[in-house]
Amino acid sequence: MFVPQISENKAKGPPAHDNQRSFATLMRAIALSQGYFSFILVNCNSMVLRQQTLERLQATSTLKPRELWLPQPATTFYTAILPELNGEQPPALIILGLESVTEVDRLLASTNLVCSEFSKRFSFPIVFWVTDEILRKMIRTAPDLYNRMPTAIRFL
């Protein structure tokens, strides 16, 4: 089983430096995926840091990723994404709110079954923003989905 490497600076230094490297990796991953489908995994437990990072991404990147907050009753990514995009192909789509989904195990399992369909419909990266708890659930419940994420980035 292929397990992507989490981009995390283990050198001694302040978390701000670690997060700067993670931010640069995220921007590079989005830029390199333009015109192609890919999954990108971002692991961050701080909601404040998540919001700051997203605001910084929108302010500094020429590529303006679209954000999608999953509704609590969501049961599949696919049906949540399609109506939101309305046929558009944004530079990237950032999926947020997984930690608030009522039946997250069901959502992950159903996505695991159709993850190959994403590459047929989308030509942009989808960024999953997850906490440690959601990451553990994803590895356990949706291993195929997790294994399709060659880029994994951690914010401390």
Side-chain angles (χ1 to χ4, degrees):
M1 172 190 308
F2 171 74
V3 179
Q5 295 294 317
I6 299 282
S7 172
E8 182 176 1
N9 182 6
K10 293 289 186 182
K12 290 182 178 148
H17 182 267
D18 296 341
N19 289 334
Q20 178 59 33
R21 289 184 62 176
S22 295
F23 182 79
T25 302
L26 176 59
M27 288 198 42
R28 188 171 47 256
I30 290 172
L32 292 173
S33 296
Q34 291 307 291
Y36 302 97
F37 176 76
S38 69
F39 285 123
I40 300 170
L41 179 71
V42 176
N43 178 225
C44 179
N45 289 314
S46 168
M47 299 306 146
V48 172
L49 179 57
R50 175 179 70 186
Q51 187 60 36
Q52 290 170 346
T53 303
L54 292 172
E55 288 171 4
R56 183 176 174 207
L57 186 63
Q58 293 293 344
T60 61
S61 177
T62 56
L63 304 168
K64 303 296 183 199
R66 187 124 176 236
E67 296 174 15
L68 172 63
W69 284 88
L70 291 173
Q72 278 187 324
T75 55
T76 70
F77 282 117
Y78 208 67
T79 57
I81 291 172
L82 285 178
E84 280 296 315
L85 294 179
N86 200 24
E88 292 178 47
Q89 296 282 316
L93 181 64
I94 300 175
I95 304 291
L96 302 159
L98 273 163
E99 65 280 352
S100 300
V101 172
T102 309
E103 295 186 48
V104 71
D105 287 342
R106 180 177 173 194
L107 175 94
L108 291 170
S110 67
T111 303
N112 194 61
L113 296 173
V114 297
C115 58
S116 63
E117 292 299 312
F118 286 87
S119 62
K120 295 175 185 173
R121 294 283 302 239
F122 306 129
S123 58
F124 55 86
I126 295 181
V127 180
F128 288 89
W129 203 285
V130 300
T131 61
D132 286 347
E133 179 184 353
I134 297 298
L135 179 58
R136 283 189 296 275
K137 286 182 180 203
M138 181 181 286
I139 292 168
R140 184 182 69 247
T141 309
D144 293 338
L145 175 65
Y146 177 75
N147 287 331
R148 289 180 180 259
M149 297 187 183
T151 303
I153 304 161
R154 182 171 175 83
F155 285 87
L156 303 174

